[in-house]
Amino acid sequence: MTDLVTFGETMLRLSPPQGHRLETTDDLDLRIGGAESNVAAAVSRLGFDSAWLSKLPDSPLGRRVTVELQSHGVDTPVAWSDDDATRMGTYYIEHGGAPRGTNVIYDRADAAITTVSADELPTERIRESEMFYTSGITPALSEAAAKATATLLETANDAGTTTVFDLNYRSKLWTPEEAAVGYRALFDAVDVLVAAERDTREVLGRDGTPEDLVSGLADDYDFETVILTRGDEGALALHDGETYDQPVYEADTVDAVGTGDAFVGGFLAARLDGENVATGLEYAAATAALKRTIDGDIAVVTPEEVDAVVGEDGAGISR
Ligand SMILES: O=C(O)C(=O)C[C@H](O)[C@H](O)COP(=O)(O)O
């Protein structure tokens, strides 16, 4: 049995060295990045079995992704496309610093995953797993990907697998109105919702205090757990009628991309270990803080490092 199965797109990630511009750089660092594989890698690195489902072109570029994920212990039973017309999604990232922001350029149209169907994926892995995670990026990729996302969430739900969904709104993929419709179509099959406060207000159109936001979402869609991520303000969660406030741990930022996924990975690893929501949030915040110090999308961390950030007063994950 797998502890966590995830489903989504992973792209090649190309970035110039810190301080260099895409327009003029001679060098591009090559890594991989995608919300669902970032979460699977974090959970695997924190000691649990994870598998990532997707569709990739059957090419050296596609294999670059599976080889790197396997190096973090993630199982990769993906569908391979031998259609020459399908492409490997790629993103370019130019890191900024005040007053210039970080810029992401996507080149992901017609990626193999845009043609995915649930039938070509090993859905029994989802039925047999403890948790299933996907995010709002996946249904934004194509109609086929949206359909597969819904089918996989329902498969998990029917099997009693805990379903976890992060809104992960990406304005370069769809409009707030399109996203709101896409999200609401999936919410019935979601147990644990992770939502950035900004997306909750600007995409789902909700207002009020952070407490109002989590309780409104939980009441309207019957989520078991709602986690509102609030940037520097930390996170607020609602579970079983109790709210939990989690501040951020201070961190020097080398690369902020992947912080949200590391947060989810830390939370899910602690929950898989039987920890309560309060402890889960501590591990989430600690994994996110560590990620900020690491270049690349993936939280290349160890359980001991996360334990050390949580501190000797933390409840500690027993292994
Ligand atoms: O597929 C996409 O569109 C992505 O954006 C993949 C991202 O690299 C990660 O999901 C990072 O997201 P954060 O953890 O919120 O920084």
Side-chain angles (χ1 to χ4, degrees):
M1 176 159 154
T2 314
D3 297 314
L4 172 75
V5 174
T6 73
F7 168 62
E9 179 177 24
T10 295
M11 297 172 286
L12 299 180
R13 165 187 150 132
L14 298 167
S15 55
Q18 207 79 24
H20 288 245
R21 306 300 309 262
L22 273 169
E23 269 186 52
T24 49
T25 189
D26 290 328
D27 300 311
L28 287 171
D29 181 49
L30 171 61
R31 293 166 192 244
I32 61 166
E36 294 81 3
S37 59
N38 294 347
V39 169
V43 164
S44 167
R45 297 196 59 95
L46 293 176
F48 296 88
D49 294 329
S50 71
W52 171 74
L53 306 186
S54 192
K55 185 168 181 180
L56 288 168
D58 190 4
S59 72
L61 297 180
R63 290 191 288 279
R64 176 71 173 75
V65 171
T66 52
V67 166
E68 184 163 338
L69 289 176
Q70 286 160 14
S71 79
H72 296 292
V74 178
D75 190 13
T76 57
V78 300
W80 294 102
S81 168
D82 51 14
D83 177 351
D84 287 345
T86 60
R87 304 178 62 238
M88 183 65 219
T90 301
Y91 88 97
Y92 297 83
I93 177 162
E94 185 184 75
H95 288 286
R100 180 171 61 82
T102 291
N103 188 30
V104 165
I105 299 173
Y106 290 137
D107 179 11
R108 66 199 305 181
D110 301 322
I113 193 166
T114 61
T115 67
V116 75
S117 109
D119 304 344
E120 53 189 340
L121 298 171
T123 47
E124 71 284 357
R125 294 293 297 267
I126 294 174
R127 279 192 285 272
E128 289 161 6
S129 86
E130 184 96 9
M131 290 181 183
F132 173 67
Y133 167 85
T134 188
S135 89
I137 295 169
T138 319
L141 299 174
S142 69
E143 263 181 46
K147 204 167 158 214
T149 306
T151 305
L152 298 185
L153 276 168
E154 279 154 24
T155 302
N157 211 27
D158 291 348
T161 299
T162 300
T163 55
V164 185
F165 185 77
D166 187 335
L167 293 186
N168 264 347
Y169 176 64
R170 296 290 181 266
S171 63
K172 292 181 178 175
L173 295 179
W174 52 0
T175 65
E177 295 72 27
E178 288 168 336
V181 172
Y183 295 154
R184 290 188 189 115
L186 302 172
F187 280 170
D188 263 1
V190 171
D191 297 317
V192 179
L193 180 76
V194 182
E197 180 173 356
R198 192 193 48 213
D199 299 347
T200 306
R201 295 185 191 281
E202 294 174 12
V203 181
L204 291 177
R206 308 188 76 98
D207 49 29
T209 62
E211 287 75 11
D212 294 336
L213 296 178
V214 289
S215 60
L217 283 166
D219 288 348
D220 288 358
Y221 299 103
D222 208 19
F223 298 121
E224 193 180 295
T225 310
V226 176
I227 303 176
L228 193 72
T229 56
R230 310 184 58 218
D232 292 348
E233 304 290 311
L236 182 76
L238 179 69
H239 175 83
D240 265 353
E242 291 274 330
T243 51
Y244 302 88
D245 206 355
Q246 175 64 49
V248 294
Y249 290 100
E250 239 175 78
D252 289 330
T253 299
V254 170
D255 184 353
V257 176
T259 303
D261 300 333
F263 179 94
V264 174
F267 182 76
L268 299 186
R271 295 291 280 159
L272 283 164
D273 211 35
E275 299 291 352
N276 61 27
V277 168
T279 304
L281 291 172
E282 287 183 327
Y283 279 83
T287 310
L290 286 167
K291 165 63 204 68
R292 297 184 83 88
T293 68
I294 298 159
D295 198 25
D297 263 51
I298 295 178
V300 185
V301 298
T302 65
E304 294 71 25
E305 287 169 331
V306 178
D307 282 339
V309 174
V310 171
E312 286 169 11
D313 294 332
I317 294 181
S318 57
R319 292 187 176 81

